[in-house]
Amino acid sequence: MDSKYQFWILDSGFWTRNPRSKIQNLKSKIGLALILIGYLALGVAYASRTPLWQVPDEPAHYNYVVTVAETGQLPALQPGDYPFDYLEEIKSKKFPPNMPVDRIRYESHQPPLYYVLAALVYKATAFLPFREHVIALRLFSVLLGAGLLLVTYRIGRQIYPEDGAVALATVAFVAFLPMHLAMTAAINNDTLAELVLGLILLLALGRLRGSVERQHFMLLGGLLLGIGLLTKTTIYIPSAALLAAAELFVVATSVAQGAQERLKSLLRTYVGIGLIALLLSGWWFIRNAQVYGDLDIFGWGRHDAVAGTQLRTADWLAQVGWRQGVQDFAWTTFKSFWGIFGWMGVPMEERVYRVLLWLTAAIFAGLGLALARALQRRAWRNSDRVPMVALLAVPPVLAVGVYVWYNLKYVQHQGRYLFPAIIPIGLFVALGFRELVPRQFAGLWLGLLGLGLAGLAAYSLPAYIVRFLSP
């Protein structure tokens, strides 16, 4: 099969003439199908059983969808859209029906793509009772999550084509991480952003492997970057960084061009991607500059003015001190990455976090061991996998950097802000865990890891979300 088409096939190894490879890929496809079935079952359960509005920021995202669906216009963030006192009161009372959420509109500065798509679902399900209407919008996010899992699987097979277990373990991590599942089964633009960033990562990996030609990379990269710019600001930097890094590596390792030709080729690709992206999304930034003024093309200035009542980090550190502040930041981030439900008000039991802490430490030890072995064998020198793994590290590094930067301003110790990098994080989890078990039993142990996460996700819904968040 022509290599230029392999990027688009979910698992091109299925078509090999090698019977053993066919069997292995068939097993991988069965495993993927089982994970998807489990994810959809849990996603529907989370979407239907999580009490209304008991997911962070969901009312504000919902009101954005309503505005687009009922007026055909995009909202603008205005003073009063973040009613801090009212929000704290309604959360403390568990969102009773007699307290409407229509005043909570502080997500109105977000890029519009998710809300335009969700507005179509809103109109198509307008005949349903109100609760079922909200659930239908949540299920739209669950469907986007299924697409994210397919992209996750393909990324895993791009990097480890000979090891379907790693790809499946990565998919299971993305599917069943309890906090990620809770956010995926809610009304927000997070899952669409993760899906777009996953497609960009897949395209960048295809470019590194040589299965995507420069012209196609420029066109698809520009289109996906433009879509990303219309989806969520959290993926702006990693999207551009992935595309730039992939092309830089390809050009830098080309032996068919001189230095000057390489530079020209690199600049042409960058400019092409940028122009295509801005042709698709530039209107949004022009609109924001007109609506918010002062060249506030992202709406961040207006957001700070509207949501300025949030607790600032400087004030918080003055109360608790640096040492306690750093400890609280690290521990709360860890816990909320795995699962603190509702509006950061329902943690899991401490014993669960202790087990997860040991698991996380073991995974990091496994990654360190894998790196040490690779350096000892000097396997990295001639490996085509090294640049792909390095590219994979870009989203987590940037996500951590942005997360720390944001928390230097506001107290927002929410590990879910790292979810834009959920696919690379999941792959590194699978790799670290695999390194700790005998290689001949790695598939079995990775499967048990996935089953354990699925069990934790299934347990968390009734034990924490329904029990403590129902009115």
Side-chain angles (χ1 to χ4, degrees):
M1 179 172 291
D2 193 334
S3 62
K4 70 179 181 180
Y5 296 112
Q6 291 183 8
F7 171 74
W8 300 106
I9 297 175
L10 182 62
D11 187 7
S12 57
F14 181 72
W15 304 102
T16 179
R17 295 181 179 180
N18 187 329
R20 184 175 181 181
S21 295
K22 276 191 173 184
I23 293 174
Q24 290 175 344
N25 281 281
L26 180 60
K27 289 181 179 178
S28 294
K29 285 181 178 292
I30 293 173
L32 177 61
L34 292 175
I35 293 173
L36 282 170
I37 292 170
Y39 161 77
L40 290 172
L42 283 173
V44 171
Y46 268 72
S48 58
R49 297 193 62 193
T50 299
L52 294 188
W53 320 129
Q54 288 288 14
V55 184
D57 308 322
E58 189 175 46
H61 290 292
Y62 172 77
N63 286 324
Y64 194 147
V65 175
V66 173
T67 299
V68 174
E70 295 187 351
T71 69
Q73 303 292 324
L74 298 176
L77 189 62
Q78 303 292 343
D81 285 348
Y82 184 72
F84 178 79
D85 293 334
Y86 182 77
L87 184 59
E88 292 302 303
E89 180 183 4
I90 197 174
K91 287 191 295 184
S92 68
K93 295 180 178 179
K94 299 183 179 180
F95 294 91
N98 64 326
M99 296 185 72
V101 299
D102 55 348
R103 295 170 52 189
I104 305 170
R105 311 178 65 88
Y106 55 83
E107 298 290 355
S108 295
H109 65 298
Q110 292 276 3
L113 181 58
Y114 165 80
Y115 307 97
V116 172
L117 297 175
L120 300 177
V121 179
Y122 180 95
K123 289 184 175 181
T125 58
F127 64 92
L128 294 173
F130 180 72
R131 176 179 173 79
E132 285 70 23
H133 194 196
V134 173
I135 291 174
L137 289 170
R138 288 177 169 179
L139 291 177
F140 172 59
S141 295
V142 173
L143 185 61
L144 292 173
L148 176 67
L149 298 185
L150 294 176
V151 172
T152 300
Y153 176 77
R154 187 64 192 121
I155 288 173
R157 294 309 297 264
Q158 283 270 321
I159 302 177
Y160 290 90
E162 79 289 352
D163 195 341
V166 169
L168 291 176
T170 305
V171 174
F173 180 86
V174 175
F176 302 129
L177 178 68
M179 192 66 206
H180 187 253
L181 182 59
M183 294 303 302
T184 302
I187 303 171
N188 57 57
N189 58 352
D190 293 4
T191 308
L192 180 60
E194 294 165 16
L195 176 58
V196 173
L197 188 58
L199 288 170
I200 290 174
L201 176 56
L202 182 58
L203 177 66
L205 290 171
R207 181 64 175 147
L208 285 184
R209 296 178 69 246
S211 58
V212 179
E213 297 177 356
R214 189 180 73 86
Q215 290 82 358
H216 294 158
F217 179 74
M218 185 170 63
L219 175 61
L220 293 173
L223 290 174
L224 286 173
L225 180 59
I227 292 172
L229 294 175
L230 293 174
T231 302
K232 195 174 180 71
T233 57
T234 54
I235 65 170
Y236 284 7
I237 295 176
S239 296
L242 285 172
L243 295 171
E247 186 64 17
L248 178 61
F249 178 83
V250 171
V251 171
T253 55
S254 174
V255 296
Q257 295 177 313
Q260 189 173 3
E261 288 76 14
R262 293 179 187 179
L263 180 60
K264 289 181 179 179
S265 176
L266 187 66
L267 292 177
R268 281 195 297 267
T269 304
Y270 286 171
V271 171
I273 290 174
L275 286 176
I276 294 171
L278 289 177
L279 283 173
L280 187 61
S281 64
W283 64 271
W284 168 248
F285 303 108
I286 295 173
R287 177 259 187 193
N288 285 345
Q290 294 173 339
V291 170
Y292 300 125
D294 298 324
L295 294 178
D296 189 10
I297 61 175
F298 304 118
W300 292 344
R302 177 65 62 87
H303 178 267
D304 287 347
V306 170
T309 52
Q310 296 183 69
L311 179 61
R312 292 184 174 270
T313 301
D315 298 331
W316 176 67
L317 288 176
Q319 299 173 9
V320 302
W322 274 94
R323 182 175 180 178
Q324 186 64 44
V326 171
Q327 291 177 354
D328 289 349
F329 168 75
W331 186 230
T332 306
T333 297
F334 173 82
K335 292 165 62 176
S336 59
F337 178 85
W338 291 96
I340 297 182
F341 304 104
W343 294 64
M344 291 290 288
V346 179
M348 295 187 282
E349 297 152 283
E350 283 298 313
R351 60 182 179 180
V352 176
Y353 292 122
R354 286 196 292 269
V355 172
L356 293 173
L357 184 61
W358 281 106
L359 175 64
T360 302
I363 288 168
F364 273 104
L367 289 173
L369 182 62
L371 179 60
R373 288 176 176 174
L375 292 175
Q376 185 179 20
R377 296 193 306 263
R378 298 186 178 182
W380 53 272
R381 287 192 172 183
N382 298 313
S383 174
D384 295 333
R385 189 173 290 155
V386 170
M388 291 192 287
V389 173
L391 190 71
L392 203 71
V394 170
V397 169
L398 291 176
V400 170
V402 171
Y403 178 67
V404 171
W405 172 81
Y406 187 51
N407 273 274
L408 290 176
K409 189 173 186 178
Y410 295 111
V411 179
Q412 289 291 335
H413 306 166
Q414 300 189 50
R416 66 185 177 93
Y417 291 153
L418 301 177
F419 288 165
I422 189 67
I423 297 176
I425 291 173
L427 188 55
F428 286 131
V429 166
L431 292 176
F433 191 79
R434 184 188 67 167
E435 199 67 26
L436 298 174
V437 300
R439 188 56 56 94
Q440 64 268 31
F441 301 118
L444 174 62
W445 281 99
L446 288 171
L448 291 175
L449 174 64
L451 286 174
L453 285 173
L456 180 60
Y459 173 77
S460 296
L461 178 59
Y464 306 120
I465 297 174
V466 176
R467 178 184 178 186
F468 292 105
L469 296 176
S470 298

